Amino acid sequence: MENFKMVAKTLFGFEEILEKELQVLGAQDVEKGVRMVSFKGDKGFMYKANLALRTALKILKPIYFFRAYNEQSLYKGIQGVDWSKYLDVNQSFVVDVTLHSDRFNHSQFVALKTKDAIVDQFRDKYGKRPSIDKDFPDLRINIHIHNDQCSIALDTSGNSLHQRGYRTATNIAPINEVLAAGMLLLSGWDGQGDFIDPMCGSGTILAEAAMIACNIPANINRREFAFEKWEDWDNDLFDTIIDSLMKKTREFHYTIKGYDKAPSAVEKAKDNIRNANLDEYITIARENFFDTEKETEGPLHMVFNPPYGERLDIDMERFYREIGDTLKQGYPGTNAWFITANLEALKFVGLKPSRKIKLFNGKLESRLAKYEMYAGSKRTKFQRREEE
């Protein structure tokens, strides 16, 4: 099987971890861009990338490049592809458009022009045309225009890869699965210790943490990928790839815990963890984080997504001060990371973060902040050193 170029799309701030994921998976010619990483691999690797990558939103397969200065050159460029190679006249398709161009400023218009060019080509050839289906198309076509550079790609994934397939129930401010996985990887979580999410909501961070710890492919629970409807779909190859990935899963010898004070969140989280077949690794309890303390010996890794006040009505200042107090008093020997879009609120934690990473949660600019809670306070360490 021959290698071809692919593009993995990701969230801002995850380019480096996605690049590393691709290298570890065995991709060739890996190159990092903005919110994307390009690479080369064969059809089997395309299946593998969709199944295994934790921080990719989509895997695109570029098939044609041209320059588009206006609607005529756009139409002509789209017709430069022999669409019968990818699509049957009785099938359906949909067009997704991304624009960074002064020449074109309406994605709807570009999608319509693209559709016209494809449909006209079929009508001229066969006197019939494929139909449009926005929900369950046989082929998803991705048009990307940057200035006058236009690239046409086939979407190998279908729905965004953050839709892992295990989350049926969410609470009011859920965190996207790709964002959760990326935060965990940025925090250095590798499954070599105990883990806690003290405000676990619907359990997304817990599920992603367990899959990283056990090296379980991120999208093993997903029902379908776009490439399964392609002409060259190879079911046996796909099964072989799944088997080889599942052989690389590993044992986990520590604890993963989730707390939430809302009974409804606890129930939803338990359902989602069960759906993901991860309940043997994760325990979830109804607890208010501010009344808890560390229960395990040795280092503890903590990652959570506290409420921002965007959708939840809380007293920000008091809430973030309590986060700081709880960490200080109850969680020695803990690396605590949390994400917030309330950049002001970080001032109230009363601790100095050792790292702050800029990310986006949806459209909200956020910070992933790290607080290192030492086993003894820093001060006593230094005093001891002086006394010695």
Side-chain angles (χ1 to χ4, degrees):
M1 276 188 294
E2 72 202 66
N3 282 354
F4 48 87
K5 185 182 167 172
M6 286 173 267
V7 172
K9 312 269 275 192
T10 190
L11 298 169
F12 173 88
F14 289 173
E15 296 90 349
E16 217 160 283
I17 17 179
L18 178 54
E19 176 186 39
K20 193 176 165 194
E21 277 198 274
L22 278 158
Q23 285 161 344
V24 169
L25 210 55
Q28 295 175 353
D29 300 346
V30 181
E31 270 182 52
K32 194 171 62 181
V34 179
R35 291 190 168 93
M36 54 78 82
V37 180
S38 69
F39 61 99
K40 280 190 178 155
D42 60 12
K43 182 161 67 174
F45 193 83
M46 177 179 85
Y47 295 171
K48 191 165 150 186
N50 273 287
L51 281 160
L53 291 173
R54 300 183 194 284
T55 55
L57 292 165
K58 269 190 187 295
I59 311 293
L60 300 175
K61 178 185 179 179
I63 55 168
Y64 195 61
F65 297 90
F66 64 95
R67 289 200 147 151
Y69 307 100
N70 51 31
E71 62 176 281
Q72 286 80 17
S73 53
L74 173 67
Y75 180 91
K76 203 172 157 203
I78 302 292
Q79 286 217 323
V81 175
D82 176 1
W83 287 103
S84 61
K85 275 184 175 170
Y86 308 105
L87 193 59
D88 188 79
V89 71
N90 300 312
Q91 287 182 309
S92 62
F93 71 100
V94 72
V95 180
D96 299 319
V97 176
T98 314
L99 294 179
H100 305 283
S101 171
D102 298 335
R103 296 165 194 274
F104 301 94
N105 43 22
H106 285 293
S107 52
Q108 234 22 59
F109 171 78
V110 172
L112 202 62
K113 269 283 153 221
T114 303
K115 178 200 74 120
D116 289 348
I118 295 170
V119 162
D120 291 351
Q121 190 187 85
F122 276 97
R123 226 188 249 118
D124 294 347
K125 245 185 189 174
Y126 306 104
K128 278 168 75 183
R129 50 156 285 186
S131 57
I132 298 291
D133 185 338
K134 288 182 177 165
D135 300 319
F136 304 103
D138 294 305
L139 189 69
R140 274 198 108 90
I141 298 161
N142 189 282
I143 305 290
H144 185 280
I145 303 180
H146 186 83
N147 298 330
D148 61 358
Q149 308 276 331
C150 182
S151 94
I152 304 177
L154 306 182
D155 182 342
T156 77
S157 309
N159 288 340
S160 168
L161 292 175
H162 80 272
Q163 295 176 16
R164 306 273 202 235
Y166 62 76
R167 195 168 82 173
T168 53
T170 62
N171 58 346
I172 51 175
I175 194 163
N176 160 331
E177 292 84 335
V178 164
L179 180 57
M183 281 164 47
L184 288 159
L185 294 170
L186 282 175
S187 78
W189 169 245
D190 58 2
Q192 301 305 301
D194 295 310
F195 181 91
I196 187 168
D197 175 352
M199 300 182 188
C200 72
S202 52
T204 308
I205 291 174
L206 296 171
E208 297 296 323
M211 289 198 287
I212 290 169
C214 302
N215 202 29
I216 295 166
N219 286 304
I220 197 70
N221 295 300
R222 196 175 150 108
R223 288 198 180 77
E224 65 165 10
F225 299 94
F227 55 67
E228 293 178 52
K229 291 181 171 176
W230 292 8
E231 291 282 301
D232 67 351
W233 161 240
D234 187 335
N235 206 124
D236 294 342
L237 176 62
F238 184 69
D239 289 345
T240 306
I241 299 287
I242 287 184
D243 289 344
S244 75
L245 286 168
M246 292 309 285
K247 281 196 183 96
K248 294 184 179 126
T249 57
R250 54 180 177 241
E251 292 289 311
F252 176 65
H253 303 291
Y254 300 92
T255 60
I256 296 178
K257 273 191 189 144
Y259 295 152
D260 204 283
K261 66 176 192 179
S264 60
V266 171
E267 284 315 304
K268 283 171 186 167
K270 284 181 174 172
D271 283 350
N272 291 335
I273 297 307
R274 241 191 323 273
N275 290 338
N277 301 308
L278 296 169
D279 34 357
E280 62 179 293
Y281 307 110
I282 298 167
T283 52
I284 298 167
R286 186 188 170 194
E287 297 278 359
N288 182 345
F289 173 47
F290 302 145
D291 302 333
T292 67
E293 53 186 33
K294 187 178 171 204
E295 293 177 349
T296 50
E297 291 293 313
L300 179 64
H301 198 94
M302 179 188 289
V303 181
F304 62 111
N305 172 36
Y308 297 173
E310 272 293 310
R311 309 184 207 181
L312 301 161
D313 195 23
I314 51 172
D315 174 349
M316 270 303 147
E317 192 171 326
R318 187 175 152 208
F319 186 80
Y320 278 82
R321 189 173 291 123
E322 285 191 36
I323 289 178
D325 290 347
T326 307
L327 289 174
K328 259 184 294 206
Q329 288 151 23
Y331 285 86
T334 300
N335 275 337
W337 296 75
F338 69 81
I339 188 171
T340 182
N342 191 323
L343 308 185
E344 278 299 293
L346 285 177
K347 294 174 186 164
F348 305 123
V349 177
L351 297 164
K352 195 171 163 40
S354 57
R355 277 190 79 188
K356 279 199 289 193
I357 302 169
K358 179 179 168 181
L359 298 174
F360 285 86
N361 186 358
K363 298 240 182 327
L364 300 173
E365 186 181 317
S366 308
R367 293 292 180 276
L368 178 62
K370 178 186 188 186
Y371 296 91
E372 293 179 50
M373 311 313 299
Y374 293 89
S377 80
K378 259 184 165 175
R379 188 180 161 78
T380 52
K381 273 191 188 170
F382 290 126
Q383 277 174 338
R384 245 182 261 130
R385 210 168 288 156
E386 282 162 19
E387 284 157 14
E388 283 164 11

